[in-house]
Amino acid sequence: MKKNESYEEFVKGIWRDNPVFVQVLGMCPMLAVTNSAVNAIAMGMATLFVLVGSSFLVSVFRHVIPKQVRISCFIIIIATFVTIADYTLLALVPKVHKELGAFIPLIVANCLILGRQEAFASRYPTRLAVMDALGMAGGFLLALFSLGAVREILGDGALFGVRLFSENFEPWIVMILPPGGFLTLGVILLFFNWFKYKKDEFLADVAEAERGGS
Amino acid sequence: MTADAGKQPAAPSSLRLVLTLAIAGLVSGVAIIGIYQTTLPTITANKARELREAVFKVLPGVSGMQALVYRDGRIVVVPQPDKDEPVIYGGYDEQGDFVGYAMPGAGPGFQDTIALLYGYLPREKQVVGMEILESRETPGLGDKIYKDAHFVGEFSALSVEPEIVAVKKGTSTQNNHVDSITGATISSKAVVRIINETHAAWAAQLPAPGTEPPLTGGPADNGTGQ
């Protein structure tokens, strides 16, 4: 039972409550750094580290932090993890750090992270909080990667820098420019909403059939 | 929130609030200092390596380098240039003989500042290599200033006298002409302008050819000043 509970917290972030496609949070890094798959994954990993670290600490100290100063405490915790991620990336992968530029420090302002602390980590036991953070960050990473992969394949004819098409492929340069981010995100959101609509329709049909049958 | 509020004391004293924040701030500060100190050597080494690679790329045949600055009317060797002080790099071959200068320059491009490094031989008055260090030019068009081998190759034996001129692609006739990139004329011209401006700023300060400062610390010095 306990196992199922934490599994449920993990899975909901990946799919049902996906932070990007369903909650539409974290749009700023989503549109800005998804011009290649590598950048998207680096951003996703940095966010994962920050979110899991902060959720863990916030949940551990949830009874110690007075609620009047909780938001300030959350921000201090988040900012510390972001600084650690920033310097680590700069030391280990300077090229990726240069590409991501100002968007690493801006993880502090990602409402997905503060939102999870306020809505979940500060109210639930540590194990659940970490699972929730892993799920949400996993969902965010997945969303960043899908956008980054689509944009890199169409805009550069490559994935992770490996050419996919022959020389005759003319890259859609617009896809790696800002409009490409909006276009791709729009199409993906459209798909998610269509999927949800179809699912609701299907469930309604099933309910009706059951009522008719009984 | 109501369930939580019941567990906590009705109104914690201001002292407790201040203390909580102070402790959080202190722990956070210590953690940040820790990570800064841990990563600093790697970051400094990375930067020095990148600079060395760029200098060796723009000055063929160079195996040692040192930082040079203009102080009190002449070019002198400094182990560690001051912050914000304009600096150029002297490149030396295996025997420790002076080869040429690697000159950093920066200026506005089509979108943002372009920072570059170019190799300059004072005796021949020629640019022998150019490397873009930083640019945010348009992907697919302006970024050809470093992705297009033909354009970068234009800077391999380029006379700076009277000055470098960017001309329409395919019309380069003189050895001070650079073929512009079709569709990225502004970026091409920006690169040429940055080199011209940097050259003009330093030309009068460089010592006469043959009187450049010798390599200090011998040919084995890696020139990073460490």
Side-chain angles (χ1 to χ4, degrees):
Chain A
M1 187 62 214
K2 283 234 155 172
K3 203 158 206 136
N4 285 341
E5 209 181 330
S6 43
Y7 175 73
E8 171 63 22
E9 298 304 346
F10 177 69
V11 167
K12 73 164 197 262
I14 304 269
W15 185 255
R16 199 190 69 224
D17 289 341
N18 187 294
V20 175
F21 298 143
V22 180
Q23 302 183 49
V24 200
L25 290 175
M27 286 298 109
C28 193
M30 192 68 203
L31 292 165
V33 298
T34 53
N35 52 5
S36 77
V38 174
N39 289 354
I41 289 198
M43 187 67 196
M45 294 306 287
T47 311
L48 182 124
F49 168 74
V50 173
L51 184 51
V52 173
S54 322
S55 281
F56 174 75
L57 280 189
V58 165
S59 179
V60 164
F61 293 115
R62 68 184 187 283
H63 297 306
V64 183
I65 299 171
K67 74 176 198 312
Q68 288 84 347
V69 291
R70 66 184 191 284
I71 302 286
S72 326
C73 286
F74 298 165
I75 288 292
I76 292 176
I77 293 172
I78 296 168
T80 311
F81 278 104
V82 170
T83 313
I84 293 173
D86 192 15
Y87 279 111
T88 313
L89 282 175
L90 182 58
L92 298 181
V93 279
K95 283 221 168 68
V96 174
H97 185 275
K98 204 169 159 188
E99 291 270 318
L100 297 183
F103 288 97
I104 299 174
L106 279 177
I107 295 175
V108 178
N110 190 332
C111 44
L112 162 68
I113 296 177
L114 186 61
R116 286 335 282 169
Q117 312 312 321
E118 173 69 4
F120 201 94
S122 59
R123 293 152 191 229
Y124 288 89
T126 311
R127 191 172 46 86
L128 290 184
V130 168
M131 290 314 278
D132 171 75
L134 277 173
M136 284 293 163
F140 189 65
L141 177 64
L142 197 74
L144 281 168
F145 175 70
S146 0
L147 217 68
V150 169
R151 289 179 68 187
E152 191 180 347
I153 291 172
L154 295 178
D156 209 16
L159 186 61
F160 295 112
V162 180
R163 302 253 136 237
L164 296 178
F165 309 114
S166 75
E167 282 299 307
N168 294 327
F169 177 76
E170 185 62 40
W172 309 7
I173 288 163
V174 67
M175 292 308 279
I176 42 178
L177 298 177
F182 286 99
L183 280 174
T184 318
L185 183 65
V187 170
I188 296 179
L189 286 177
L190 191 68
F191 167 77
F192 257 75
N193 279 309
W194 172 82
F195 182 83
K196 193 165 165 281
Y197 176 77
K198 283 281 160 196
K199 192 178 153 195
D200 289 349
E201 213 174 48
F202 174 75
L203 289 178
D205 280 355
V206 168
E208 191 147 321
E210 273 180 355
R211 221 173 322 154
S214 60
Chain B
M1 209 63 247
T2 40
D4 252 3
K7 269 182 238 162
Q8 277 181 0
S13 65
S14 343
L15 184 68
R16 170 135 188 262
L17 301 184
V18 172
L19 267 182
T20 313
L21 281 178
I23 293 170
L26 192 72
V27 173
S28 154
V30 169
I32 289 173
I33 293 169
I35 190 75
Y36 178 76
Q37 293 291 354
T38 327
T39 52
L40 189 62
T42 327
I43 293 170
T44 325
N46 280 345
K47 283 197 176 142
R49 200 189 58 232
E50 260 171 40
L51 180 69
R52 263 166 62 80
E53 277 170 5
V55 169
F56 290 2
K57 214 166 168 182
V58 298
L59 281 174
V62 159
S63 63
M65 60 173 271
Q66 63 188 359
L68 304 172
V69 296
Y70 185 73
R71 275 183 199 166
D72 310 324
R74 61 200 192 90
I75 292 286
V76 290
V77 181
V78 284
Q80 204 72 65
D82 293 341
K83 219 175 161 21
D84 300 328
E85 185 176 32
V87 60
I88 56 175
Y89 304 93
Y92 302 82
D93 64 13
E94 273 170 20
Q95 283 77 45
D97 294 329
F98 180 83
V99 177
Y101 299 105
M103 327 263 286
F110 185 62
Q111 304 217 334
D112 203 347
T113 302
I114 298 177
L116 55 78
L117 188 76
Y118 67 92
Y120 174 65
L121 305 186
R123 208 178 291 271
E124 290 82 357
K125 293 194 184 302
Q126 270 187 351
V127 168
V128 289
M130 187 274 297
E131 167 102 341
I132 302 287
L133 302 176
E134 246 181 84
S135 93
R136 295 213 172 267
E137 300 304 283
T138 323
L141 296 169
D143 69 350
K144 286 188 184 155
I145 57 172
Y146 56 92
K147 285 191 175 155
D148 185 318
H150 176 76
F151 182 74
V152 176
E154 290 283 279
F155 295 87
S156 58
L158 192 62
S159 172
V160 293
E161 291 204 319
E163 64 167 7
I164 307 171
V165 184
V167 297
K168 207 168 161 224
K169 184 155 191 169
T171 61
S172 139
T173 48
Q174 318 256 320
N175 62 356
N176 65 334
H177 282 184
V178 170
D179 271 351
S180 297
I181 301 162
T182 316
T185 318
I186 295 179
S187 304
S188 317
K189 284 192 167 156
V191 170
V192 167
R193 193 184 59 239
I194 292 167
I195 297 184
N196 279 330
E197 281 172 1
T198 314
H199 178 71
W202 282 95
Q205 302 181 348
L206 295 180
T211 61
E212 291 89 3
L215 184 59
T216 52
D221 183 7
N222 64 10
T224 53
Q226 305 286 319

